[in-house]
Amino acid sequence: MFDAHVHIIDPRFPLIENEGYLPDPYTIADYRRRMARFDIDGGAVVSGSFQGNDQSYLLAALGELGDNWVGVTNLHIDTSDAEIIDLNRAGVRAIRFNLKRGGGDIVGLTMLALRAYELAGWHVELYIDGSMLGSLEPVITKLPKLSIDHMGMSDDCLPYLLNLVDRGAKVKASGFGRVSMNIGAALRKIHTVNPEALMFGSDLPGTRAGRPFRNTDIDLIGDAVGSDLRRVLDDNARAFYGLPARVTRLADPDRTPPRATGESPTLRLPVADLAKQPAPDTLPLPIIDPRRRKRG
């Protein structure tokens, strides 16, 4: 599996309070313990708003995690070409626009993104409230490579999101505890428009989320994408981040393998034809946190 969205919060490096919030430490050792039952063989370490433009933590994390891991970083719009090239050598592969928490100069960020793409082939990872997608679509469509964090956050954004997916954007199947949407239905629609679009991410440790990643989130993805589960858990992200495809090995009996079915892989369906498809007979039940059930 390739975990395309992980936050490492190393107390050895500086943090910046954001909206009155500072996260607890979450080290590589913490992450490895939490995901020990899964066959994680790579991923993307994503910079959070509380890490600002600091690269020291990210370079340390990539150095420890190894070659199958890449970085997604926050950069100041005045970052030099030389720094981008140095970060690329260290394994950084994308810039994150945190418009949900950090805001910023969207025009300046876009120019930075185009420069980073020309220099190193980097893409942009966009963390944004779904309600903003429509208004920013003219700017977003100028970006040569793009992924959207946490499925765009809400059902309100889904029409805009599907248009972006139809044009090649990727979508993180992550952060299920922080979204306001019918997750199963959204996953199916995104996957139908482009089976290469979805990329699994645990979003651990789930800072400020309603709940962190659960092992059953993998089942939710599998229910939506069927026999394409390996694409979503591994292949799509590796291709997008420019890493070689993983060679299939015999399963480790102590690890949980991806579930597979005998179905044929999904074929791409243009978004204009999506509305013509019949609605599914059933919809997945919403995820219920037992701790939040009312007593009585």
Side-chain angles (χ1 to χ4, degrees), residues 152-185:
M153 303 296 293
S154 72
D155 280 326
D156 293 340
C157 80
L158 200 53
Y160 303 108
L161 183 65
L162 293 175
N163 284 332
L164 292 172
V165 169
D166 202 24
R167 294 197 287 265
K170 308 302 182 184
V171 178
K172 298 280 186 80
S174 62
F176 293 173
R178 65 173 80 244
V179 305
S180 175
M181 63 199 318
N182 183 323
I183 295 170

Side-chain angles (χ1 to χ4, degrees), residues 61-293:
L62 294 178
E64 182 175 344
L65 287 163
D67 291 341
N68 287 323
W69 286 80
V70 298
V72 180
T73 192
N74 302 316
L75 287 182
H76 191 274
I77 58 174
D78 294 328
T79 299
S80 69
D81 291 357
E83 184 174 0
I84 292 171
I85 292 169
D86 285 344
L87 289 171
N88 186 68
R89 290 194 186 105
V92 177
R93 293 294 179 267
I95 306 172
R96 193 182 199 209
F97 291 3
N98 191 332
L99 303 182
K100 171 74 172 177
R101 302 286 182 196
D105 174 6
I106 188 64
V107 175
L109 288 171
T110 301
M111 298 304 295
L112 171 64
L114 293 173
R115 185 158 53 92
Y117 178 77
E118 290 295 326
L119 288 168
W122 289 5
H123 64 268
V124 169
E125 304 208 350
L126 190 62
Y127 183 25
I128 187 172
D129 191 291
S131 62
M132 298 174 64
L133 267 182
S135 61
L136 288 177
E137 194 171 12
V139 174
I140 291 170
T141 53
K142 291 181 172 63
L143 300 172
K145 289 177 68 177
L146 174 71
S147 73
I148 307 293
D149 288 352
H150 313 319
M151 301 169 61
M153 303 296 293
S154 72
D155 280 326
D156 293 340
C157 80
L158 200 53
Y160 303 108
L161 183 65
L162 293 175
N163 284 332
L164 292 172
V165 169
D166 202 24
R167 294 197 287 265
K170 308 302 182 184
V171 178
K172 298 280 186 80
S174 62
F176 293 173
R178 65 173 80 244
V179 305
S180 175
M181 63 199 318
N182 183 323
I183 295 170
L187 286 169
R188 282 193 292 272
K189 289 179 180 178
I190 294 165
H191 183 68
T192 299
V193 171
N194 186 355
E196 297 178 357
L198 286 169
M199 306 184 298
F200 162 73
S202 68
D203 188 35
L204 286 169
T207 56
R208 289 190 277 200
R211 64 150 178 93
F213 167 75
R214 293 174 180 161
N215 295 348
T216 52
D217 290 345
I218 302 296
D219 297 326
L220 186 56
I221 296 171
D223 289 340
V225 306
S227 60
D228 285 333
L229 184 58
R230 173 166 174 155
R231 284 189 185 187
V232 177
L233 296 185
D234 198 86
D235 297 343
N236 289 346
R238 287 183 187 276
F240 190 56
Y241 286 104
L243 295 170
R246 185 180 182 189
V247 177
T248 302
R249 299 193 298 263
L250 293 175
D252 183 338
D254 295 326
R255 307 268 182 134
T256 300
R259 186 181 54 182
T261 73
E263 302 169 5
S264 299
T266 302
L267 299 178
R268 184 168 182 167
L269 181 71
V271 70
D273 295 334
L274 187 62
K276 302 175 186 177
Q277 299 298 300
D281 294 333
T282 60
L283 292 175
L285 292 173
I287 297 172
I288 299 173
D289 190 336
R291 294 171 298 178
R292 297 186 178 181
R293 288 178 177 167

